[in-house]
Amino acid sequence: MGLDSSGVLLDITPYTFGISALGEIDGEISPNKFVPLIRRNTKLPATKSEAFSTVYDNQDLAELFVYQGENINALENVQIGKYFFKLSKLPAHSVIIIKYELDLNGILKIHAIEKDTGKEITGIIENAFSKLSEKNLLDSKNKINDLWEDDPSLAKSDLIKADKESSSMPEELADIIKRAKAEMVNASSEDRDEIINIIEDINDAIASKKEDHAVKLGEELEDILFYIE
């Protein structure tokens, strides 16, 4: 399959897509914290919204940087889009809703709306999968049979991986992963997708010796389990 075509047809997204925002990276406040919206391995088409807020009173502009990647530091990911949103003069912490819509052809639609006024902008990235190599494509297709069977008990590959790697994790994280796997049968398909993605991210963080990040991901997993259990 050539990568010069207008779209790359996939059943899951092989990358995480998100935005940069003001937040904490390695204990320090940074404007480049990567906030995932649509996580890798999510079934397509997919839609996800997230609420953000302005930093100071009468903020008149928001720069929306769209990234593809997995690193908590957005600058370590691939920037695939940039949009300027002219804001109304509102108090600090006014809410902006960012929505991503990603389809099977790799077309990513970005929609930003100022909650208090309804003011909005939209953008389209025609081929969000453009950075894929042919190996990435093959790997992504091979994962479909493992991850997206109708019966969640058949989605074994990543769960086995988590078992093998949990021995190198802090005991609390290993326990959270064990509980998450036990609850997958009771979870909705959306929650199940999210659980698998977060378990993968925890394994990656542990492998990269980023235990603090793994702990934060464990907290995200705990939040999902709170509503499922």
Side-chain angles (χ1 to χ4, degrees):
M1 180 180 294
L3 297 182
D4 294 330
S5 58
S6 60
V8 180
L9 188 64
L10 292 178
D11 298 279
I12 60 173
T13 169
Y15 288 119
T16 294
F17 294 93
I19 194 168
S20 60
L22 187 67
E24 188 175 299
I25 301 178
D26 296 330
E28 297 185 2
I29 299 299
S30 168
N32 301 312
K33 180 175 180 178
F34 181 60
V35 181
L37 273 82
I38 297 178
R39 290 182 177 272
R40 74 172 185 265
N41 296 330
T42 298
K43 265 185 157 180
L44 298 177
T47 300
K48 180 67 182 295
S49 297
E50 191 74 43
F52 297 84
S53 61
T54 56
V55 178
Y56 51 86
D57 290 342
N58 299 320
Q59 183 174 334
D60 59 359
L61 184 69
E63 295 181 324
L64 309 180
F65 294 91
V66 181
Y67 287 95
Q68 171 203 84
E70 312 298 332
N71 200 297
I72 191 173
N73 184 343
L75 299 181
E76 297 297 322
N77 296 326
V78 179
Q79 182 183 319
I80 59 173
K82 180 179 179 180
Y83 302 92
F84 295 97
F85 190 6
K86 292 183 179 180
L87 305 175
S88 305
K89 293 186 176 181
L90 297 169
H93 311 300
S94 296
V95 174
I96 300 171
I97 305 294
I98 307 294
K99 181 171 78 171
Y100 279 14
E101 297 178 69
L102 183 63
D103 71 12
L104 290 162
N105 295 301
I107 297 174
L108 179 63
K109 296 179 181 178
I110 297 95
H111 184 201
I113 183 167
E114 198 174 54
K115 188 175 180 180
D116 287 348
T117 67
K119 187 176 183 179
E120 60 186 350
I121 63 166
T122 58
I124 296 178
I125 296 171
E126 292 289 345
N127 193 351
F129 298 151
S130 60
K131 299 298 180 180
L132 287 175
S133 67
E134 291 189 9
K135 181 179 183 300
N136 292 142
L137 290 170
L138 179 61
D139 290 345
S140 297
K141 288 185 177 294
N142 286 340
K143 293 188 79 173
I144 294 169
N145 290 333
D146 293 323
L147 293 175
W148 307 121
E149 298 291 343
D150 291 337
D151 181 353
S153 67
L154 298 179
K156 295 177 179 177
S157 62
D158 289 276
L159 302 184
I160 292 170
K161 179 181 176 185
D163 272 336
K164 290 180 179 177
E165 296 185 359
S166 62
S167 60
S168 64
M169 293 184 184
E171 185 176 346
E172 290 183 3
L173 271 180
D175 180 64
I176 293 170
I177 290 174
K178 182 178 179 180
R179 286 166 45 213
K181 291 188 294 180
E183 291 296 328
M184 285 184 68
V185 175
N186 302 319
S188 67
S189 60
E190 183 176 351
D191 286 335
R192 198 160 59 237
D193 294 349
E194 189 75 0
I195 288 170
I196 291 172
N197 291 335
I198 293 177
I199 288 174
E200 283 191 339
D201 289 342
I202 290 174
N203 288 330
D204 291 344
I206 292 296
S208 302
K209 302 187 184 303
K210 296 179 179 179
E211 189 171 314
D212 288 345
H213 183 43
V215 169
K216 290 179 180 178
L217 291 168
E219 292 172 356
E220 291 182 22
L221 197 53
E222 283 270 31
D223 289 341
I224 295 174
L225 293 178
F226 176 80
Y227 292 102
I228 296 175
E229 294 177 334

